[in-house]
Structure formats: structure tokens, C-alpha cells
Amino acid sequence: MDDSSPEKPRILSRKTVAESRLFRVEELELRFSNGAERHFERLLGNGKGIGAVMIVAMPDPDHVLLIREYAVGFEDYVLTLPKGVVDPGEDIVTAANRELMEECGVGARRIEPLVELSLSPNYMRQRMQVMLASDLYPKRLEGDEPEPLVVETHALDSITALLAREDFHEARAIAALYIARDKLKGEQADTSLW
């Protein structure tokens, strides 16, 4: 730990205030090092999975696969990257490949970790492992989606155009595309030096 980091608050109490099959809301009473006490609530997963993956799947060096799925939080269809929970007994590479097969109808011969992202860390503990998948091949697995997902291919350099759309706004997907694009451009620049 860095010496300039403040002392973590002390947890005075913790209790579950609501629970569903997917989530648990936990209430915490904290005391900070300066004596201030605060009440916080956070959203926790159900504890059945060991994390989640989001996949930047590249059918070729210039394009990425996006899916159109119903997002109940917005009560509308959104365009995003394939993603899902890492099941017990799976590693993140296996989970990413399974999700690709379920959601996009393709598998990947090459999958590598790209970055770990979180969303609203003040309220949630979940982390998403973003994976870069390439060397794709046709392979379909039955998933838990209630309807077939529409798979679209977009140019990786078209992120700005995607952001202008009303149906593309998931922050993790946007960040993942920018990070993948920059990584791939960096690799191309490194190989052009030889």
C-alpha cells in the first residue's frame, strides 16, 4: 500500500436489506479515520459465478462483432459486445469462448485478456474481464438468451459513428473498443518498425 493512501474506513455493521435470485443489497455503516460515520448501500452478485467476461471478437483485423439484445434496464434493444458470467469451474478464456459461441455463433482459436473494468465501484463490486478474441470459426452453442441475438459486424475505427447512434451507449463496451483499437494499432506500429 502507498504511504499516501488514507486509512480504510472501519465497517461498524453490515446487513442484507434486499435479495433476489440475481442480486443482494447490502447496507454498511462505516467510520472513517477522521471519525465521520456514514451509511452506504451496495449491490452484490448472487455469488454463484466467479466474475464476468466481455469479448471484443475480431472476425478480421479491422472489424468487430457487436450484438443487439434487449436491455430490460432501458426497456429497449441496445448494441453492445457479447458478454456473460463466468460459470463455476470455468476460467475466463473458456467462459469467453462459450459466450461467443452462445451469443455470436462463433468460437475463437485465440483469446487473450485485454483489461479489467468495473462499473459504479461506489455501489457495486462486480468486475468485468475484457477479452480480445481472434481467429474465429463457426460454432453455435445453446445459450440462456430468451430470443436469438442479432450479430452485426462493424469497423473498429468506426467508434465515433457508433457513439452517434442512440442504441450504442454501454460504457464498458465503449471503453473496451477504444482499448482494443489502441492495442491493435500499437501492435501494428511495433511490427512496422521491423
Side-chain angles (χ1 to χ4, degrees):
M1 180 191 279
D2 183 355
D3 289 335
S4 64
S5 295
E7 181 183 330
K8 287 185 182 180
R10 185 170 157 231
I11 299 173
L12 303 175
S13 68
R14 165 193 326 244
K15 69 178 177 179
T16 298
V17 294
E19 195 166 5
S20 75
R21 67 181 179 83
L22 296 177
F23 302 108
R24 185 167 45 102
V25 179
E26 186 177 64
E27 177 182 271
L28 293 107
E29 296 292 334
L30 303 178
R31 180 178 296 132
F32 289 79
S33 60
N34 64 359
E37 292 186 9
R38 294 292 186 274
H39 165 88
F40 286 90
E41 290 181 355
R42 67 181 179 180
L43 184 64
L44 301 172
N46 64 8
K48 293 179 182 170
I50 59 167
V53 291
M54 176 176 273
I55 307 101
V56 178
M58 309 285 298
D60 62 59
D62 299 316
H63 293 88
V64 63
L65 299 181
L66 297 175
I67 58 168
R68 178 173 306 286
E69 68 179 346
Y70 187 74
V72 71
F74 282 90
E75 299 178 20
D76 205 354
Y77 286 88
V78 298
L79 194 62
T80 188
L81 290 168
K83 60 188 167 298
V85 173
V86 178
D87 290 336
E90 283 185 322
D91 58 45
I92 58 175
V93 171
T94 303
N97 213 17
R98 176 184 49 75
E99 288 294 341
L100 266 181
M101 293 174 191
E102 291 174 0
E103 296 188 1
C104 296
V106 297
R109 290 182 186 91
R110 183 173 179 211
I111 300 177
E112 61 183 292
L114 188 60
V115 68
E116 181 180 81
L117 299 174
S118 67
L119 185 66
S120 295
N122 288 2
Y123 300 101
M124 294 186 283
R125 185 171 27 191
Q126 288 83 12
R127 297 174 191 253
M128 176 81 65
Q129 304 297 324
V130 180
M131 310 297 282
L132 184 60
S134 57
D135 196 7
L136 306 182
Y137 59 92
K139 175 74 175 179
R140 168 88 42 204
L141 286 180
E142 185 72 26
D144 59 358
E145 291 74 23
E147 62 184 356
L149 301 179
V150 175
V151 180
E152 299 181 12
T153 302
H154 290 268
L156 190 55
D157 282 337
S158 71
I159 301 171
T160 303
L162 284 168
L163 289 172
R165 296 173 55 143
E166 290 184 16
D167 61 350
F168 184 74
H169 46 74
E170 184 179 1
R172 296 174 302 182
I174 294 165
L177 288 180
Y178 275 114
I179 292 165
R181 184 195 66 185
D182 291 353
K183 175 185 173 44
L184 294 170
K185 281 185 178 182
E187 288 175 358
Q188 289 171 350
D190 288 347
T191 58
S192 68
L193 296 175
W194 300 105

